[in-house]
Amino acid sequence: MTDVENLQMTLLFKKAFGTIIGGAIGDALGGPIETMHYKFIREYHGGRVEDLIDYDRPPEFFQPQKYSSYAWSSKAGTYTDDTYFQLLITKAIVKKMGRITADDLLEMWRDEADYRRAWASLSNSYAKIVHTRIPAREIGIGNIPDNSSPMSIGPIGVINACNPQQAALDAYDVISLCHDGHSREAAAMLAAAVAEAMKPNATIEGVVEAAIRYLPHGKDSKMYSPMIKAMDLADQANDTEELTELFYDQLIIQVERRSKMATDTGRMSLSVERMESVPCAIAMFYREKGDFRKSVIASANFGRDCDTIACMTGYIAGAFNGVDGIPAKWVETSLKVNPEPNQLELAVGLAKAVLQETNKMKGLIETIEGMV
């Protein structure tokens, strides 16, 4: 048996692979019903969407395009920009074989990012990278606020496996390439949850607690109150359908826009507000007791920016359960429909990077112990 085959049998690999492909699957589940009101999803599809489906959407909604920040194929299982930018972070980690910084991600973007797959905020970051010498940690200042930071941050939780505090700090640094403000705090919250979920003895309550405990700026963060409110609603609800209704009634955060799409028509319902999406993703994971399939389906059927919500839930639930806890059919579909870059190979590299990072820490411990 090869070293790679041995590695793929480990819990570390299964959790690392579960994180990145879990996010991709959640992304693809939510993609076909993104920007829809939850009631319209059930009307249009005759109930909740509970499997990967083709991008069959009414004409007034976003449609797949070859080069787009949305899906670039109508095939079931196709992921969107969420996973595209997650995989760039994963590539940066694998290239460095360890924890990365905003400077490392800038280098990866400069060399490999396709700006045509970026929405407005990330297109702006890309333009700054290519056309200016602005330092990496200042690139995201003033960018249009949206979910692009937390949607791609899953791998930062993996490389900091079992260390949610460091995951939050790294996420806050790395994602400054994309945003400032509470977008960075949202990414830190998500990364901390993933890092906690990587523990072999992780608990659902522990994952939620880590997301809140290591939130930068704590109670002063704009993310804090919505997160607490979301967990209160999750405890009140009998199931995720009721949680969705309660969320729409009490915790929807509308983004101020001038476009015609800003209006909630009862069919279309649109938001890219982190104070809504991240608490929703974590609350769905919590309400469904960490079950991968149930939690990502619940998140996808929330509507609004549900490809991102389900993607983030997929990171956490994928790390919590490992790839063995994800329906095999979904994993096979994701690998087949999205062949490049190879998610399996990247997961192997990611697990190796975790081991390499662990060896660095062992060396540091030995050095310090030799001084006393």
Side-chain angles (χ1 to χ4, degrees), residues 1-261:
M1 187 174 292
T2 67
D3 289 343
V4 170
E5 289 172 330
N6 281 326
L7 180 61
Q8 290 180 3
M9 294 176 66
T10 66
L11 182 60
L12 171 63
F13 168 79
K14 291 177 180 180
K15 282 178 167 281
F17 189 26
T19 301
I20 64 171
I21 203 158
I25 289 167
D27 184 6
L29 271 167
I33 47 181
E34 181 187 1
T35 70
M36 294 182 181
H37 192 286
Y38 81 93
K39 291 181 180 178
F40 181 63
I41 293 171
R42 288 144 185 79
E43 174 190 332
Y44 190 73
H45 289 283
R48 295 201 312 172
V49 172
E50 299 195 350
D51 203 351
L52 296 170
I53 62 172
D54 292 340
Y55 284 72
D56 170 24
R57 293 165 63 80
E60 70 267 30
F61 289 83
F62 299 141
Q63 301 295 331
Q65 299 178 38
K66 184 176 181 180
Y67 297 109
S68 168
S69 62
Y70 191 49
W72 32 94
S73 164
S74 62
K75 293 181 180 178
T78 304
Y79 55 64
T80 75
D81 58 321
D82 301 53
T83 301
Y84 177 77
F85 284 96
Q86 173 260 109
L87 292 172
L88 287 177
I89 291 178
T90 303
K91 284 183 178 182
I93 292 170
V94 172
K95 178 181 178 182
K96 193 174 181 180
M97 275 288 112
R99 290 167 49 211
I100 62 170
T101 67
D103 296 294
D104 297 315
L105 187 57
L106 184 152
E107 182 180 323
M108 177 57 63
W109 275 38
R110 182 197 63 206
D111 294 342
E112 293 200 24
D114 185 344
Y115 71 92
R116 294 170 297 183
R117 293 185 171 181
W119 196 66
S121 61
L122 300 193
S123 292
N124 199 27
S125 287
Y126 180 82
K128 292 176 187 177
I129 290 169
V130 173
H131 298 296
T132 77
R133 298 291 296 183
I134 297 173
R137 289 163 188 81
E138 298 176 16
I139 291 285
I141 295 174
N143 277 1
I144 296 172
D146 59 33
N147 283 319
S148 298
S149 287
M151 78 181 188
S152 59
I153 208 66
I156 298 298
V158 177
I159 192 60
N160 288 287
C162 310
N163 190 350
Q165 183 175 28
Q166 190 62 58
L169 292 171
D170 280 8
Y172 195 73
D173 174 75
V174 168
I175 219 64
S176 60
L177 192 74
C178 305
H179 283 114
D180 58 2
H182 68 279
S183 297
R184 296 170 71 192
E185 295 159 15
M189 176 178 277
L190 221 292
V194 172
E196 181 70 21
M198 288 289 294
K199 292 181 178 179
N201 60 344
T203 65
I204 297 158
E205 293 76 14
V207 170
V208 175
E209 181 184 354
I212 297 171
R213 176 184 296 176
Y214 300 113
L215 171 63
H217 308 130
K219 293 181 180 180
D220 292 328
S221 169
K222 288 184 178 181
M223 296 299 303
Y224 182 81
S225 292
M227 186 65 225
I228 298 301
K229 178 66 173 178
M231 298 313 300
D232 287 343
L233 295 180
D235 282 330
Q236 291 176 35
N238 292 314
D239 54 33
T240 50
E241 282 292 90
E242 185 178 358
L243 175 55
T244 298
E245 294 175 9
L246 291 172
F247 217 103
Y248 268 70
D249 287 341
Q250 301 181 42
L251 202 47
I252 289 300
I253 300 171
Q254 205 64 28
V255 177
E256 294 296 328
R257 292 180 176 170
R258 294 188 179 95
S259 70
K260 294 179 181 179
M261 292 182 66

Side-chain angles (χ1 to χ4, degrees), residues 27 29 73 90 147 170 192 197 234 264 272 282 290 293 331 366 371:
D27 184 6
L29 271 167
S73 164
T90 303
N147 283 319
D170 280 8
D264 184 340
V272 288
I282 296 173
R293 182 180 180 278
V331 175
E366 290 172 1
M371 297 169 64

